[in-house]
């Protein structure tokens, strides 16, 4: 391998020489970076969690997850369990005697975790506030339009779906001669609701009193209460659907509702029940509708379900296994030190008005910083699974999803914990760092200055982005301080050839990189003046984040649209403005890594 460049000539190449030599660009790839490797590592770690049917000592969530996954592999236990897990729900349905019993039964089924007829979700708005959205539910075909479609392929689904309904009803107690007729009843009720859904409108936010008028005898307040919710307004998806439900409640006989609700429960539970139920479900949904050659093994389906429907449970197990508590606590402490540094920098900024300082301080102090998963400790207490009871585990999971819908919405993340991410979310004024980010090269367990140069500077970068929206004279003053960065980056070659970095497009990120390093350096110095070794580790920590191989042609083409500079200049660009870098590496004279003092850009120093 060629000798590493001198630190004062090209610190990016100097600090990353070993990585660049050991990680050539793969054939047919346009890029390979430390972040790509971190993402691949996180996904591999996630797969380890999903493959495990045992758990480390003391890893409570991981143990529960392992029990659930093991139960999906025990076909004998699944057959032996029969309908035991849903018998309470079937008894609720069988208790319907009069029309007025139907709505309480629907509410009771929702409270038990089975969202029949109406689908209820708790979502987050653009500001991160939870809200309830109620929409059409209870369809056995993938889309409401399938029920009235004239397409031959779609029409062919109806008899297959009815046959599956009849099999589920007969295997749960209906007489052989009646099951087909009951399946037809279910089809007719679903078709009526599907027609109304197709004619509906997108969701509308309504005050509860107005939503109640639309829903009629469908008791929305009771449905919300079944999920532990109370709201002054809700979002209704397709009011026409709710009017159709109201009409069915008024006109359909109790026996029809009993059959319909039983069919909904059986269909929803079928993937976790014995072969008499699972077989028709898998044949219809996975072979016929999804076009698979064969049904998906239950254990595989259980893992897919966790990824799609319960990511936070998987996230918690991932965090238990791969984020040591001391490292997370240190990262959280560094995060608060970076925030304190940004606040000190505001106080020192003589160019900033009192009003500008007050607004920026309020934003920083109110910012919700989440470093790794930190949900209430009792959230998963109800998720206790048995290795020999997949149907019971599935019902426990449904109840948990219902009970904690509001908590889940409040603690929702923009990425899963196994996906590397450091991001400030402006509408929520929230800064998130996922668990998989909290490992080398971002942060390690050595408790050294590199953690400030890597992790600390990344956090500072995001705080800096939150401070770039200034008004009036403050905007003018900031622009004067930051403007030289445009020319600085425009002068850099993107690939070593004629193509230049787009200093205008990358301007916001270049400011954030420099400001983030300034905040992190200040935070490190607040612990005591770093010696030469610590200072060098700080800057090396930053450089190590951006090690990357690029195909020259792809990198050149990207400059027309890229919002950040190439990796080399994300390291060398800000550090050339840093007097402390030159001191740490004893840079003398005119060298590439030290701009003349009068030309150095200082944003918060």
């Amino acid at each position: 391998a060629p000798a590493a460049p001198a630190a004062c000539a090209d610190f990016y190449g100097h600090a990353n020489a070993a990585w660049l030599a050991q990680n050539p660009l793969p054939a047919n790839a346009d890029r390979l970076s430390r972040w790509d490797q971190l993402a691949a590592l996180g996904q591999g770690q996630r797969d380890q969690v999903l493959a495990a049917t045992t758990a480390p000592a003391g890893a409570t969530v991981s143990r529960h997850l392992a029990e659930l996954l093991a139960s999906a592999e025990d076909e004998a236990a699944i057959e032996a369990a029969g309908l035991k897990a849903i018998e309470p729900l079937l008894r609720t349905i069988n208790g319907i005697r009069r029309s007025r019993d139907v709505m309480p039964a629907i509410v009771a089924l929702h409270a038990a975790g089975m969202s029949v007829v109406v689908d209820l979700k708790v979502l987050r708005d653009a500001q991160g506030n939870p809200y309830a959205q109620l929409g059409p539910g209870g369809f056995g075909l993938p889309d409401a339009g399938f029920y009235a479609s004239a397409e031959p392929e779609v029409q062919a689904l109806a008899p297959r779906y009815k046959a599956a309904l009849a099999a589920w009803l007969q295997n749960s107690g209906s007489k052989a001669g009646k099951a087909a007729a009951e399946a037809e009843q279910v089809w007719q009720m679903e078709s009526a609701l599907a027609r109304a859904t197709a004619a509906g409108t997108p969701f509308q936010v309504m005050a509860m009193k107005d939503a109640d008028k639309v829903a009629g005898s469908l008791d929305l307040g009771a449905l919300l209460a079944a999920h532990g919710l109370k709201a002054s307004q809700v979002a209704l998806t397709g009011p026409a659907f709710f009017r159709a439900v109201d009409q069915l409640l008024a006109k359909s006989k109790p026996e029809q509702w009993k059959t319909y609700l039983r069919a909904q429960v059986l269909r929803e539970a079928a993937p976790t029940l014995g072969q008499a139920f699972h077989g028709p479900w898998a044949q219809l949904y996975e072979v016929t509708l999804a076009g698979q050659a064969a049904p998906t093994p239950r254990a595989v389906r259980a893992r897919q379900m966790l990824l799609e429907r319960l990511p936070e449970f998987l996230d918690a197990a991932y965090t238990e296994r791969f984020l040591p508590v001391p490292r997370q606590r240190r990262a959280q402490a560094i995060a608060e030190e970076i925030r304190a540094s940004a606040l000190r920098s505001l106080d020192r900024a003589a160019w900033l008005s009192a009003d500008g300082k007050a607004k920026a301080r309020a934003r920083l102090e109110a910012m919700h910083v989440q470093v790794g998963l930190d949900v209430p400790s009792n959230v998963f207490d109800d998720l206790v699974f048995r290795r020999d009871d997949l149907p019971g585990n599935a019902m426990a999971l449904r109840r948990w999803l219902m009970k904690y819908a509001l908590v889940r919405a409040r603690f929702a993340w923009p990425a899963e914990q196994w996906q590397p991410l450091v991001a400030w979310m402006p509408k929520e004024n929230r800064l998130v760092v996922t668990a998989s980010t909290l490992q080398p090269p971002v942060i390690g367990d050595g408790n050294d200055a590199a953690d400030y140069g890597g992790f600390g500077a990344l956090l500072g970068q995001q705080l800096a982005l939150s401070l770039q929206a200034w008004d009036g004279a403050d905007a003018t003053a900031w622009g004067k301080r930051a403007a030289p960065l445009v020319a600085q980056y425009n002068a850099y070659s993107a690939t070593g050839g004629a193509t230049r970095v787009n200093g205008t497009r990358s301007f916001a990120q270049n400011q954030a990189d420099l400001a983030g390093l300034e905040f992190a350096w200040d935070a490190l110095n607040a612990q005591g003046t770093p010696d030469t070794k610590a200072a060098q580790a700080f800057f090396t920590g930053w450089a190590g984040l951006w090690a990357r191989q690029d195909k020259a042609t792809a990198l050149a083409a990207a400059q027309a649209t890229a919002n950040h500079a190439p990796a080399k200049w994300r390291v060398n660009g800000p550090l050339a403005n840093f007097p402390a870098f030159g001191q740490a590496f004893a840079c003398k004279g005119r060298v590439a890594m030290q701009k003349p003092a009068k030309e150095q850009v200082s944003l918060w120093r």
Side-chain angles (χ1 to χ4, degrees):
C8 297
D10 171 15
F11 190 63
Y12 169 83
H14 173 83
N16 293 312
W19 187 93
L20 292 169
Q22 294 164 11
N23 294 275
L25 187 68
N28 302 318
D30 287 340
R31 72 174 198 194
L32 174 67
S33 72
R34 291 296 293 268
W35 287 96
D36 293 328
Q37 292 178 331
L38 194 57
L41 175 62
Q43 184 165 335
Q45 291 168 332
R46 178 209 69 183
D47 291 345
Q48 289 181 48
V49 176
L50 284 172
T53 53
T54 59
T60 306
V61 178
S62 297
R63 186 180 73 250
H64 294 336
L65 178 60
E67 300 287 300
L68 174 63
L69 295 174
S71 73
E73 298 179 354
D74 194 338
E75 287 291 335
I78 293 169
E79 291 295 334
L83 297 178
K84 182 180 178 181
I86 61 170
E87 281 174 356
L89 307 185
L90 298 179
R91 284 197 297 271
T92 296
I93 295 167
N94 288 334
I96 295 173
R97 297 288 182 267
R98 293 162 293 186
S99 294
R100 66 186 184 189
D101 298 331
V102 176
M103 188 64 223
I106 292 172
V107 170
L109 293 173
H110 272 256
M114 193 68 71
S115 295
V116 295
V117 185
V118 175
D119 180 44
L120 192 155
K121 293 185 176 73
V122 180
L123 306 175
R124 291 164 65 97
D125 63 18
Q127 286 69 47
N129 301 311
Y131 69 96
Q133 180 174 307
L134 292 87
F139 298 130
L141 295 184
D143 187 273
F146 281 25
Y147 287 83
S149 174
E151 294 289 330
E153 289 184 358
V154 178
Q155 286 189 330
L157 291 175
R160 296 180 181 180
Y161 176 46
K162 291 178 190 178
L165 284 171
W168 296 326
L169 290 166
Q170 182 173 334
N171 288 321
S172 65
S174 290
K175 294 180 180 179
K178 290 185 62 178
E182 289 177 341
E184 182 63 34
Q185 283 182 16
V186 174
W187 172 263
Q188 293 301 326
M189 291 181 74
E190 288 188 20
S191 296
L193 295 175
R195 287 192 296 271
T197 301
T201 57
F203 80 83
Q204 298 173 257
V205 177
M206 300 180 178
M208 278 299 298
K209 60 182 179 62
D210 297 323
D212 284 333
K213 292 176 184 176
V214 172
S217 52
L218 181 66
D219 191 339
L220 299 182
L223 278 176
L224 288 170
H227 290 259
L229 306 172
K230 186 177 181 180
S232 58
Q233 60 181 28
V234 295
L236 293 189
T237 306
F241 168 82
F242 292 92
R243 287 191 287 268
V245 174
D246 180 42
Q247 291 175 4
L248 285 176
L249 286 169
K251 296 179 181 179
S252 297
K253 296 177 180 178
E255 286 299 318
Q256 291 175 300
W257 273 105
K258 288 169 69 172
T259 301
Y260 171 78
L261 294 174
R262 186 157 60 97
Q264 307 306 302
V265 168
L266 292 167
R267 186 189 66 229
E268 292 298 307
T272 64
L273 298 177
Q275 283 302 318
F277 298 90
H278 176 264
W281 184 93
Q283 189 64 36
L284 175 65
Y285 291 106
E286 295 186 329
V287 176
T288 300
L289 280 166
Q292 297 179 192
T296 303
R298 289 200 217 237
V300 174
R301 195 184 303 126
R303 291 171 172 82
Q304 293 171 345
M305 179 275 297
L306 285 166
L307 286 168
E308 295 168 5
R309 297 193 58 195
L310 194 57
E312 56 269 71
F313 192 45
L314 177 57
D315 284 345
Y318 174 90
T319 301
E320 276 187 337
R321 283 179 181 258
F322 295 108
L323 177 57
V325 171
R327 190 193 305 161
Q328 182 178 12
R329 295 295 174 249
R330 174 169 164 76
Q332 290 169 336
I334 290 175
E336 288 310 313
E337 291 169 22
I338 300 297
R339 190 194 325 234
S341 170
L343 290 168
R344 288 194 298 271
S345 299
L346 282 175
D347 290 339
R348 291 194 300 261
W351 53 271
L352 189 56
S353 71
D355 182 60
K357 287 184 180 182
K359 289 179 179 177
R361 172 172 283 276
R363 190 179 313 130
L364 285 175
E365 290 178 339
M367 186 180 296
H368 184 197
V369 180
Q370 292 176 277
V371 179
L373 191 67
D374 228 350
V375 299
S377 59
N378 64 341
V379 163
F380 299 111
D381 285 356
D382 293 347
L383 279 180
V384 178
F385 300 124
R386 290 176 46 187
R387 296 177 77 86
D388 61 351
D389 189 12
L390 176 63
N393 294 342
M395 286 306 304
L397 188 55
R398 284 179 177 274
R399 289 190 294 271
W400 187 89
L401 288 169
M402 179 273 295
K403 181 177 179 180
Y404 286 98
L406 186 59
V407 174
R408 294 175 72 220
R410 285 177 175 158
F411 285 88
W413 284 62
E416 309 311 335
Q417 293 300 313
W418 48 271
Q419 297 171 317
L421 179 71
V422 182
W424 174 60
M425 302 161 67
K427 290 183 178 178
E428 300 182 32
N429 194 24
R430 180 178 171 215
L431 199 165
V432 297
V433 183
T434 55
S436 66
T437 310
L438 299 175
Q439 52 190 326
V442 179
I443 189 171
D445 296 320
N447 293 348
D448 59 24
D451 295 339
Y452 286 82
F455 176 64
L458 279 177
L459 282 176
Q461 173 199 85
Q462 296 304 309
L463 294 185
L465 288 170
S466 79
L467 296 175
Q468 286 185 11
W470 303 106
D471 298 319
D474 293 330
T476 302
W478 176 262
K480 184 177 179 180
R481 298 177 73 80
L485 291 174
V486 175
Q488 177 187 345
Y489 282 81
N490 278 340
Y492 292 142
S493 168
T495 61
T499 303
R500 298 289 168 181
V501 175
N502 191 325
T504 301
R505 286 196 65 89
S506 60
F507 185 42
Q509 189 64 60
N510 296 335
Q511 294 173 62
D513 286 351
L514 176 56
L517 279 160
E518 290 174 337
F519 291 154
W521 179 250
D522 177 81
L524 178 63
N525 277 263
Q527 313 302 310
T529 303
D531 59 19
T532 298
K533 181 179 179 182
Q536 290 181 350
F538 174 90
F539 294 112
T540 302
W542 174 255
L545 297 177
W546 308 112
R548 175 172 167 142
Q549 300 280 18
D550 282 282
K551 183 183 288 186
T553 52
L555 185 58
Q559 297 314 298
T561 57
N563 293 324
H564 53 77
K568 177 178 180 178
W569 302 117
R570 295 197 72 172
V571 175
N572 293 357
L575 296 189
N577 292 301
F578 238 85
F581 174 83
Q583 295 166 10
F585 289 92
C587 298
K588 305 294 184 182
R590 295 186 67 86
V591 293
M593 285 304 305
Q594 282 286 274
K595 293 166 64 68
K598 64 180 181 179
E599 297 178 14
Q600 289 179 356
V601 179
S602 169
L603 298 178
W604 292 104
R605 283 190 283 112

